């Protein structure tokens, strides 16, 4: 398995990435009804706003020549933590180690320390993935609704 990252450059690529994001998060959106925070409910306009931030980069996650997912990285190039928000693998490509490999590739580009991210506390597989990569829970959680909480993780 050879995972690579391709930076999203054009508006057309960004639109395709957004469509993938909506699709990839649709199950979690249905399950947890978190219409304010779920990337599956994010408008194209909001993704374009984020894309234009000087500290944001979006990437396609590619296996061979197939796009299997996407990720957004926030790096303000100061002392603040770099952030992954969001990362996803399309449903048909999950459970192949692609997310893990993508994060390893991001760490090659941005350095392996001083990262943060958050995920759904009830999604134990997500937490396991991040902990396997050296992230630890900060102890901070945020209740989103009766169905879900967000847990915050860091990697030093």
């Amino acid at each position: 398995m050879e995972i690579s990252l391709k930076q999203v450059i054009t508006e057309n690529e960004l639109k395709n990435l957004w469509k993938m994001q909506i699709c990839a998060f649709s199950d979690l959106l249905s399950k947890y009804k978190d219409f304010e925070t779920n990337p599956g409910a994010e408008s194209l306009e909001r993704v374009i706003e984020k894309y234009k931030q000087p500290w944001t980069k979006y990437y396609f996650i590619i296996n061979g020549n197939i796009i299997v997912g996407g990720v957004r990285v926030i790096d303000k190039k100061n002392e603040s933590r770099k952030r992954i928000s969001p990362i996803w693998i399309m449903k048909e490509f999950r459970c192949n180690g692609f997310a893990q490999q993508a994060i390893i590739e991001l760490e090659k580009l941005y350095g392996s320390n001083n990262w943060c991210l958050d995920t759904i506390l009830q999604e134990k597989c997500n937490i396991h993935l991040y902990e396997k990569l050296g992230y630890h829970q900060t102890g901070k959680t945020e209740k989103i609704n009766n169905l879900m909480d967000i847990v915050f993780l860091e990697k030093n």
Side-chain angles (χ1 to χ4, degrees), residues 139-156:
K140 179 183 171 196
T141 59
E142 187 179 316
K143 184 164 200 59
I144 301 299
N145 60 35
N146 302 2
L147 302 171
M148 70 172 271
D149 305 277
I150 295 291
V151 61
F152 295 83
L153 298 100
E154 292 180 346
K155 181 176 184 176
N156 292 326

Side-chain angles (χ1 to χ4, degrees), residues 42-116:
E42 198 168 42
S43 69
L44 176 59
E45 291 72 29
R46 181 68 184 123
V47 170
I48 291 169
E49 268 176 44
K50 290 178 178 180
Y51 175 77
K52 289 179 177 176
Q53 296 168 336
W55 52 81
T56 286
K57 287 200 171 54
Y58 282 94
Y59 295 91
F60 287 114
I61 300 169
I62 300 174
N63 177 38
N65 60 358
I66 299 168
I67 298 172
V68 298
V71 61
R72 174 179 172 233
V73 175
I74 302 157
D75 181 6
K76 295 194 175 178
K77 304 208 185 308
N78 57 19
E79 298 307 307
S80 66
R81 291 184 178 276
K82 297 166 285 221
R83 180 170 167 75
I84 296 170
S85 177
I87 184 170
W88 72 88
I89 302 297
M90 301 306 289
K91 190 187 296 188
E92 61 270 31
F93 300 112
R94 290 180 189 155
C95 303
N96 288 302
F98 296 153
Q100 182 175 340
Q101 283 303 122
I103 292 171
I104 290 167
E105 290 302 311
L106 287 173
E107 290 180 354
K108 288 178 187 173
L109 288 174
Y110 291 91
S112 61
N113 61 348
N114 207 29
W115 286 90
C116 67

Side-chain angles (χ1 to χ4, degrees), residues 104-136:
I104 290 167
E105 290 302 311
L106 287 173
E107 290 180 354
K108 288 178 187 173
L109 288 174
Y110 291 91
S112 61
N113 61 348
N114 207 29
W115 286 90
C116 67
L117 53 81
D118 57 68
T119 193
I120 299 170
L121 179 62
Q122 290 76 6
E123 293 295 317
K124 300 303 179 201
C125 288
N126 289 358
I127 294 170
H128 176 72
L129 163 69
Y130 301 130
E131 287 179 342
K132 192 165 52 170
L133 287 162
Y135 286 80
H136 61 274

